[in-house]
């Protein structure tokens, strides 16, 4: 399914205290199997859609948790202080972008993950389709054109 440049994708946390909108197609949709994402989600991986901050708007009070990634970058996790839903992440290695938790979108059916990172941590019970390119760690890729 094709996503238009001005298509609006809405979403929220579990309790509805936070609402957001992302516009257009994501830069990338990825599964992350790092241990931090496994702990964050309570599952085998997180799945997120990356958008330029200029194409993302959030309403509602949030809380943040910061940590150092395996690569030394500062990662900020943004979540709802009422229900705990993980809303998005930011990474100092990718300024100008947010990665929105796919499960928080009202309808995420048009988004298709294309990569899996930190696949070396993938649990045997957590399958990934063959169409998803897997990397053992964070690839040397970063989005261009940060706004």
């Amino acid at each position: 399914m094709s996503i238009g440049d001005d298509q609006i994708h809405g979403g929220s946390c579990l309790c509805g205290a936070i609402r957001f909108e992302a516009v257009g197609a994501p830069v990338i949709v990825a599964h992350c199997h790092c241990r931090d994402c496994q702990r964050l989600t309570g599952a085998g991986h997180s799945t997120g859609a990356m958008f330029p901050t200029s194409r993302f708007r959030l309403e509602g009070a949030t809380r943040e948790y910061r940590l150092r990634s395996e690569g030394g970058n500062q990662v900020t996790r943004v979540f709802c202080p009422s229900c705990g839903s993980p809303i998005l992440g930011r990474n100092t290695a990718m300024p100008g972008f947010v990665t929105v938790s796919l499960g928080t979108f009202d309808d995420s059916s048009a988004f298709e993950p294309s990569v899996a990172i930190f696949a070396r941590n993938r649990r045997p019970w957590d399958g990934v389709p063959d169409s998803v390119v897997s990397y053992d760690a964070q690839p040397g890729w970063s989005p261009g054109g940060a706004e």
Side-chain angles (χ1 to χ4, degrees):
M1 175 186 280
S2 178
I3 298 174
D5 279 348
D6 56 354
Q7 186 173 348
I8 297 173
H9 313 282
S12 72
C13 64
L14 180 62
C15 70
I18 296 171
R19 289 284 311 160
F20 65 83
E21 289 183 345
V23 180
V27 174
I28 195 165
V29 179
H31 295 307
C32 182
H33 295 274
C34 78
R35 292 294 294 140
D36 292 334
C37 283
Q38 291 174 354
R39 287 184 177 99
L40 174 74
T41 63
H45 66 273
S46 67
T47 305
M50 182 182 283
F51 290 90
T53 55
S54 63
R55 298 182 67 78
F56 182 79
R57 184 175 58 84
L58 183 137
E59 295 178 356
T62 61
R63 294 276 315 262
E64 295 185 353
Y65 177 75
R66 291 179 182 83
L67 60 112
R68 285 273 167 218
S69 73
E70 180 180 301
N73 303 316
Q74 180 173 297
V75 175
T76 302
R77 306 291 189 169
V78 178
F79 59 95
C80 176
S82 296
C83 66
S85 295
I87 302 298
L88 64 88
R90 293 188 303 266
N91 186 320
T92 56
M94 299 179 195
F97 293 88
V98 294
T99 300
V100 184
S101 299
L102 213 59
T104 61
F105 283 95
D106 295 334
D107 180 5
S108 61
S109 58
F111 300 136
E112 291 189 38
S114 59
V115 299
I117 60 174
F118 293 100
R120 68 176 183 243
N121 299 324
R122 188 177 68 78
R123 302 300 180 218
W125 45 263
D126 187 25
V128 174
D130 291 337
S131 61
V132 174
V133 178
S134 292
Y135 297 93
D136 281 342
Q138 176 73 45
W141 174 90
S142 64
E147 298 176 335

